[in-house]
Amino acid sequence: MAGPRVVIIGAGVVGAALADELSARGWTDVTVVDQGPLPATGGSSSHAPGLVFQTNSSKTMTELARYTVEKFSSLDVDGEPCFLQVGGLEVATTPERLTELHRRHGWITAWGVEARLLTPAECVAQHPLLDPDRVLGGLLVPTDGIAKAVLAVEAQLRRAGARGVRCLARHEVLDILREDGRVTGVRTDRGEIPADVVVCCAGIWGPRIARMAGMNLPLTPLAHQLAWTGPIPALAGQKEEAVRPILRHQDADLYYRDRFDGLGIGFYGHRPMPVAADDILPFDDAATMPSVLKFTEDDFTDAWTETTSLLPATQDAAIEEGVNGLFSFTTDNFPLLGESPDLKGFWVAEAVWVTHSAGVGRAVAEWLVDGHCSSFDLHECDVNRFEPHQLAPEYVLTRDCRNFVEVYDILHPLQPSGDPRPIRTSPFHPRQQAHGAYFLEANGWERPHWYEANARLVEGRDIPTPNDWAARHWSPIVGAEAQLTRETVAMYDMTALKRLEVTGPGAAAFLERLCTGKVAKSVGSVTYTLLLGHDGGIRSDITVARLAPDRFQVGANGNLDLDWFRRHLPADGTVQVRDLTPGTCCVGLWGPLAREVLQPLTDDDFSNDGLKYFRAGHTYLGSVPVTAMRLSYVGELGWELYTTADQGLKLWDTLWRAAEPLGGVVAGRGAFNSLRLEKGYRSFGTDLTYEHDPYEAGVAFAVKPDKGDFIGRAALERRRADVRRRLTCLTIDDPRSVVMGKEPVYDGPRAVGHVTSAAYGYTIGKGIAYAWLPAELAVPGTALEIGYFDRRVPAVVAEEPLFDPAMSRLRG
């Protein structure tokens, strides 16, 4: 046996995939335990209809699904295939859905999966049961299909078993054993099993198992209706299980799959039916299996009525059986993967549907064996991504139920998140409400997108109206606020951005080890730098301000940065890290008149020589103690001004009284995003992620090769010589063709990349789109096209930054 001792809790599609992938990488001292029999253990995998649609707005989720398709297509059990590759067809019965299918075609094309849009006649040719008068068009992905989940479990466990993995059925886990903050094994109803690593793949039981390890898992099991028809006369004589594509009718929250001469029907249009993990019955107490609840016929009435309309041949059949089957939902629709922040060696791979199961198995196996995942960017899936409020039971239940209701809805990229709101408000919130702020949510914070009080400032300005889709959650006020920031001065609420404090005698050395730039500089220095993974991929871009010899303030991107810092703390206690965000606030004061606002409020020297660019200092603005950092994410002279939450409203009022007579404005995130793209500033999680390195992403200036060692340095040296793609600036002349992000980029007929961030540049008078492109195409002047719904938008590669390349406005 090789590798550490591993116990995998749960032998569904995820646990089986993980056992197979770990053992294939040489970790064979692995034990899989499940409370049910094998291979149908009674969890979601045992009743799942198995439809694998790869199309997703997330590149990572599509790639996880694509690997699942590839792997399952290669598996069989005694000659019986584990995947039926019949294709996947989504149909539109409304104009709005037809438009959405064009957007979805853009996603799947951008992520490199073959797909094509179909006419109504072509849809009927693919699925003859469709009523041709109902269908307006469709999207076909030929490699989609039906995963035979129980067979896939058996096939993967057989392969793992042949390598030495043990599989123990009928072993219920009662507790997670630990010592000195590290997992030591599991206790089952049949005895203890020692382990160095325990991975919870328990699915709908995940919250209960995680709680044994002291972990709060934000997951809700919800019942979802699945029914099976009896024989349909029009399908009489069908000998194969499935011959037609799996079918989605998202306008009515329905999907369909063949089962010989009948159909399986899945329905999301009913009321949410959440079930607590603790209330799920043991295997032997369940009538069918623990994940299957009694079918509630009344909830299915609308589904059957719509089915007989869309597929008229079903009028000659009837529903013969049905279940309310339990599946896992999360607050952001992403899986929960990674190691507990508090118990070393306890990992989770949860909230994973069959669609993504094999991909997740590979991802977690790579993460465990290599220390990082090389095949997939997992920043969206890391279980440690959540803020504390996002773990509250009320929040989890409310958002999970909402996600169930919206599972097939057409959602705009800026779609408001709904209840519970508001959750987090900055001290400036009353003043923002008085200015008529249009709020959207950011990490739970209510963040202004624009202010209705500025509506009068639109008159006389050239602010083009974008296309209908881009004009949602938009106002021409956004353009006025952006232009006025460049002309006068504007106040931005930056409170939603995470702030960490790193202190202690070892703080400087600690940060030097984690950061690509030199941060152990003089007190008052501010450094833009990167955090890299051990593979050289970008984990985050941050600012580090040295406010005292042993105290640093870090401008971070989210809770994953805090988790990364905590995992690398020295054991000797010489460094402490804490989250400052809840107790502090920040105003970004930016624009050519920013100094005229600020200097009269303080006795300290805020001239260009007094506080230089990328320097920080303590001051008083009126009676408010402030940490001022001369930074600007919008490309204008100005400062980030921090104070404690109790002084925040006073800071806002002090600045506003000084700014308003100079023609200053309050401005929102819409203007901010336009201005930062004009300046070419990247946004982590959107423009650059774990899969990218600094040389590809255009942030190599943040890597200082003459400093000492840092995490990821060795890998980065290897990657430096092989840059095959680049984050590239594109401009668009047509003011109505404002794209939104995630669209495919074409070089002639060939899809060559995808858009990350996009906005209209109200200073330069062009649309802006950043995109990942092959290096050979990232040449200024190259003409390309962006796929936007059913159109191709002409775009040109541009030199960046588009605004103030000499940096004179920032440094003035």
Side-chain angles (χ1 to χ4, degrees):
M1 306 293 279
R5 299 170 298 176
V6 180
V7 170
I8 298 172
I9 303 172
V13 281
V14 181
L18 179 57
D20 181 36
E21 298 283 344
L22 281 176
S23 59
R25 287 163 176 76
W27 281 23
T28 54
D29 193 353
V30 177
T31 303
V32 183
V33 299
D34 200 292
Q35 63 183 343
L38 297 176
T41 62
S44 301
S45 303
S46 300
H47 78 266
L51 283 73
V52 176
F53 287 94
Q54 297 167 83
T55 307
N56 196 290
S57 61
S58 164
K59 181 173 181 280
T60 294
M61 296 298 278
T62 292
E63 290 176 340
L64 292 169
R66 178 165 51 193
Y67 181 76
T68 300
V69 167
E70 292 170 357
K71 183 176 184 181
F72 283 8
S73 295
S74 70
L75 297 177
D76 69 89
V77 174
D78 301 329
E80 188 173 356
C82 295
F83 192 74
L84 308 177
Q85 199 159 56
V86 293
L89 175 63
E90 300 181 35
V91 295
T93 59
T94 63
E96 294 79 12
R97 183 65 62 178
L98 184 61
T99 300
E100 171 72 356
L101 291 187
H102 283 280
R103 184 167 73 125
R104 295 175 66 79
H105 179 256
W107 294 340
I108 198 72
T109 302
W111 311 148
V113 178
E114 179 193 354
R116 64 181 186 270
L117 292 159
L118 304 184
T119 65
E122 289 172 326
C123 291
V124 175
Q126 289 285 332
H127 204 296
L129 297 188
L130 286 165
D131 181 351
D133 294 330
R134 293 285 315 274
V135 178
L136 303 181
L139 173 64
L140 178 70
V141 179
T143 52
D144 286 347
I146 298 171
K148 307 285 287 183
V150 174
L151 282 179
V153 168
E154 185 172 359
Q156 291 176 102
L157 290 182
R158 281 187 184 184
R159 298 200 326 179
R163 302 184 190 110
V165 171
R166 290 194 306 163
C167 299
L168 303 179
R170 295 290 190 170
H171 280 63
E172 181 182 1
V173 173
L174 303 177
D175 200 7
I176 306 299
L177 306 178
R178 70 189 83 184
E179 187 175 328
D180 297 328
R182 175 171 284 282
V183 72
T184 60
V186 300
R187 181 166 60 86
T188 77
D189 57 351
R190 298 193 181 190
E192 295 183 358
I193 305 172
D196 306 300
V197 175
V198 173
V199 188
C200 178
C201 304
I204 54 178
W205 291 278
R208 191 175 78 190
I209 299 296
R211 195 165 57 244
M212 298 175 188
M215 191 175 182
N216 185 357
L217 200 66
L219 178 160
T220 303
L222 280 122
H224 156 59
Q225 290 200 303
L226 175 64
W228 301 94
T229 72
I232 299 172
L235 303 182
Q238 181 174 318
K239 303 300 183 183
E240 296 179 67
E241 179 178 352
V243 296
R244 282 165 294 278
I246 54 176
L247 179 67
R248 273 206 281 206
H249 174 30
Q250 299 188 83
D251 284 321
D253 299 306
L254 285 161
Y255 64 78
Y256 304 92
R257 56 150 292 181
D258 285 9
R259 188 172 71 166
F260 301 102
D261 60 353
L263 287 179
I265 306 170
F267 186 45
Y268 287 104
H270 55 79
R271 61 194 167 91
M273 297 184 240
V275 176
D278 290 336
D279 293 338
I280 301 172
L281 294 174
F283 187 92
D284 291 329
D285 293 347
T288 304
M289 64 180 76
S291 63
V292 168
L293 307 181
K294 183 179 179 182
F295 187 61
T296 51
E297 294 183 12
D298 289 347
D299 291 302
F300 199 73
T301 301
D302 291 343
W304 183 240
T305 300
E306 180 61 24
T307 295
T308 57
S309 173
L310 182 73
L311 309 173
T314 59
Q315 296 173 15
D316 299 322
I319 298 297
E320 285 197 346
E321 56 182 307
V323 300
N324 287 7
L326 295 179
F327 291 94
S328 299
F329 278 77
T330 63
T331 57
D332 57 6
N333 291 316
F334 286 102
L336 307 173
L337 312 179
E339 188 180 23
S340 162
D342 302 313
L343 183 61
K344 291 182 180 179
F346 183 79
W347 289 66
V348 299
E350 290 289 349
V352 181
W353 291 7
V354 173
T355 301
H356 309 104
S357 58
V360 166
R362 177 175 182 172
V364 175
E366 289 179 352
W367 199 348
L368 284 165
V369 175
D370 302 329
H372 60 86
C373 177
S374 57
S375 297
F376 310 97
D377 164 33
L378 297 182
H379 84 275
E380 294 169 309
C381 307
D382 194 314
V383 71
N384 296 293
R385 64 189 180 268
F386 299 104
E387 296 290 325
H389 74 272
Q390 294 171 321
L391 300 176
E394 179 188 14
Y395 179 94
V396 172
L397 179 62
T398 302
R399 288 289 168 94
D400 288 356
C401 289
R402 180 184 176 94
N403 285 341
F404 179 90
V405 171
E406 292 181 343
V407 70
Y408 280 170
D409 285 3
I410 299 171
L411 300 177
H412 191 272
L414 297 178
Q415 185 90 8
S417 52
D419 290 334
R421 280 183 70 190
I423 298 173
R424 308 172 86 181
T425 56
S426 79
F428 320 135
H429 193 251
R431 301 295 184 263
Q432 293 166 344
Q433 288 178 308
H435 278 87
Y438 181 84
F439 290 104
L440 296 176
E441 185 184 344
N443 294 325
W445 294 95
E446 295 295 315
R447 183 168 64 186
H449 214 61
W450 70 80
Y451 293 88
E452 286 295 334
N454 293 329
R456 59 184 174 79
L457 303 175
V458 174
E459 187 176 350
R461 294 184 174 274
D462 182 16
I463 302 171
T465 299
N467 57 79
D468 291 345
W469 183 251
R472 296 187 189 185
H473 310 291
W474 175 88
S475 165
I477 297 169
V478 168
E481 292 175 358
Q483 292 176 358
L484 281 159
T485 302
R486 298 259 188 251
E487 296 166 7
T488 57
V489 64
M491 292 167 52
Y492 289 83
D493 181 1
M494 304 299 291
T495 302
L497 298 183
K498 200 170 191 69
R499 295 170 291 285
L500 308 178
E501 184 181 68
V502 181
T503 57
F510 168 74
L511 288 169
E512 283 290 319
R513 171 67 178 149
L514 267 61
C515 296
T516 61
K518 294 181 179 179
V519 297
K521 299 186 291 192
S522 62
V523 172
S525 66
V526 184
T527 306
Y528 173 83
T529 186
L530 307 173
L531 304 177
L532 302 183
H534 293 278
D535 62 344
I538 300 170
R539 287 196 62 93
S540 190
D541 66 334
I542 61 175
T543 56
V544 179
R546 191 171 200 175
L547 302 181
D550 60 354
R551 181 164 64 91
F552 296 79
Q553 182 170 312
V554 176
N557 281 299
N559 213 56
L560 289 179
D561 293 346
L562 176 60
D563 180 69
W564 184 254
F565 278 14
R566 285 175 171 167
R567 289 184 188 279
H568 291 88
L569 285 172
D572 60 9
T574 57
V575 183
Q576 296 80 44
V577 177
R578 70 185 183 103
D579 186 357
L580 295 175
T581 316
T584 56
C585 56
C586 178
V587 175
L589 180 73
W590 295 311
L593 302 183
R595 186 174 283 120
E596 294 181 39
V597 173
L598 202 60
Q599 188 60 78
L601 301 176
T602 179
D603 294 331
D604 292 315
D605 183 4
F606 275 78
S607 69
N608 197 39
D609 293 329
L611 190 64
K612 295 180 182 296
Y613 184 54
F614 262 78
R615 298 288 296 180
H618 298 289
T619 191
Y620 287 90
L621 299 181
S623 61
V624 181
V626 167
T627 298
M629 298 186 194
R630 192 171 164 195
L631 314 176
S632 173
Y633 205 49
V634 301
E636 293 291 337
L637 170 69
W639 293 265
E640 293 179 359
L641 304 169
Y642 299 89
T643 192
T644 52
D646 61 320
Q647 300 265 346
L649 196 58
K650 183 66 173 177
L651 172 63
W652 183 275
D653 289 345
T654 299
L655 293 170
W656 180 241
R657 280 196 300 270
E660 187 180 23
L662 299 175
V665 296
V666 291
R669 187 70 179 185
F672 179 92
N673 197 48
S674 171
L675 296 169
R676 70 102 178 165
L677 286 176
E678 288 184 331
K679 196 61 184 161
Y681 292 146
R682 278 65 168 144
S683 175
F684 179 80
T686 303
D687 300 316
L688 40 90
T689 67
Y690 292 1
E691 68 175 302
H692 306 120
D693 67 48
Y695 306 109
E696 300 170 325
V699 289
F701 64 87
V703 179
K704 303 304 178 186
D706 58 340
K707 66 167 283 181
D709 194 21
F710 53 84
I711 291 174
R713 178 167 187 154
L716 198 59
E717 290 299 320
R718 295 190 295 270
R719 296 176 71 147
R720 182 176 187 175
D722 190 27
V723 176
R724 301 183 183 184
R725 58 185 174 180
R726 294 192 184 277
L727 183 62
T728 308
C729 180
L730 304 174
T731 57
I732 301 166
D733 286 336
D734 180 2
R736 282 191 55 79
S737 297
V738 176
V739 301
M740 301 290 292
K742 302 187 178 183
E743 297 88 358
V745 179
Y746 292 92
D747 178 26
R750 182 172 60 111
V752 293
H754 68 273
V755 174
T756 57
S757 295
Y760 189 77
Y762 297 99
T763 312
I764 67 167
K766 291 178 182 287
I768 306 169
Y770 272 77
W772 281 101
L773 297 176
E776 64 271 17
L777 293 177
V779 178
T782 302
L784 301 167
E785 292 180 314
I786 299 172
Y788 191 61
F789 293 95
D790 59 347
R791 297 189 296 120
R792 295 284 185 91
V793 175
V796 178
V797 175
E799 291 274 9
E800 58 172 327
L802 298 169
F803 177 78
D804 189 26
M807 305 280 282
S808 59
R809 296 172 74 99
L810 279 166
R811 299 179 183 276

